Amino acid sequence: MTSQEFINTICEYYLESRELSIDRKVHNIWRGVSHSISSKAEDLFALYIAENLNDNSLEYIVDKTFSFKGSLGKTVTFRPDLAIVKGSTITHIFDLKMDMGYKRRYFETERFSKSGEMFTTLRDGKVEEISYRINKKSKRVLNISNQIINQIVVLSEKNGGKASNRLEMIENINGLDWVNLYYLTKEIHPNNYDGDSPVLNQSEFKRLFRDIKEQLT
């Protein structure tokens, strides 16, 4: 799957999301708000990354809750949109966003601050184990790379407010060692109604895969 095919499929998901999921037959049923495509986009993103890495030693876990013991024995949970596991170690954590929208000041929020605390804890090597539930009676225990970062992949620059806000956010995030931010398309949102296609930020796609591969070495 190429980067263009990945984005084209996202655009198709948006088109499909505007339609009813049932056969309205003769009834006057119509939808005012599109279905969410986030889950389908997460699955597609995992496939896109997997096909391009083409490494059978890797495992891709989509939208799963993990937990570990934090300070004072308190359980901390997190649910990445995608986690990559090599052997018994989590090597990558991704947060996939359609666009930043109202989140353009995301780096200033309390949630972002707590994420920073969590990643600092994960990276300092003091977390003995991370696990997720297989069923009610059993769990799988994993390690995590001490180089782990939060890779925030944003599908579109559009709906991100003024360009200055986006650039300010990028500048602030670039000053942190636990997070990377990637904007994959520009100019036109994948959910546009005019049939025009987004413009790919090819340099961002390349940077994303460069960063992924560096963490696997």
Side-chain angles (χ1 to χ4, degrees), residues 104-122:
R104 61 183 178 272
R105 296 276 185 180
Y106 180 66
F107 68 91
E108 296 176 350
T109 64
E110 181 180 358
R111 179 182 173 187
F112 191 78
S113 177
K114 289 183 177 179
S115 292
E117 295 173 5
M118 184 190 77
F119 275 89
T120 298
T121 300
L122 293 174

Side-chain angles (χ1 to χ4, degrees), residues 105-189:
R105 296 276 185 180
Y106 180 66
F107 68 91
E108 296 176 350
T109 64
E110 181 180 358
R111 179 182 173 187
F112 191 78
S113 177
K114 289 183 177 179
S115 292
E117 295 173 5
M118 184 190 77
F119 275 89
T120 298
T121 300
L122 293 174
R123 288 160 60 90
D124 69 10
K126 295 180 181 179
V127 176
E128 295 182 359
E129 65 178 45
I130 289 179
S131 64
Y132 67 82
R133 284 288 173 187
I134 299 173
N135 52 48
K136 290 183 178 180
K137 295 183 178 180
S138 62
K139 65 180 181 180
R140 181 185 179 189
V141 176
L142 297 168
N143 302 312
I144 193 161
S145 168
N146 60 7
Q147 300 299 315
I148 198 75
I149 59 174
N150 187 18
Q151 292 176 272
I152 303 176
V153 179
V154 187
L155 292 182
S156 177
E157 289 183 357
K158 299 300 289 182
N159 286 359
K162 297 179 181 179
S164 59
N165 289 335
R166 185 175 69 254
L167 295 176
E168 180 184 353
M169 181 173 63
I170 292 172
E171 181 180 354
N172 277 269
I173 286 179
N174 284 344
L176 304 173
D177 64 359
W178 60 272
V179 59
N180 276 344
L181 179 67
Y182 313 85
Y183 281 98
L184 299 188
T185 69
K186 58 186 176 182
E187 295 186 17
I188 298 171
H189 195 282

Side-chain angles (χ1 to χ4, degrees), residues 3 5-6 28 55 90 112 154 193:
S3 54
E5 289 170 336
F6 170 65
N28 186 21
D55 184 343
I90 301 173
F112 191 78
V154 187
Y193 281 71

Side-chain angles (χ1 to χ4, degrees), residues 80-97:
D81 293 326
L82 173 64
I84 298 180
V85 177
K86 186 176 180 66
S88 60
T89 300
I90 301 173
T91 58
H92 300 76
I93 289 175
F94 297 94
D95 184 6
L96 184 67
K97 299 185 183 300

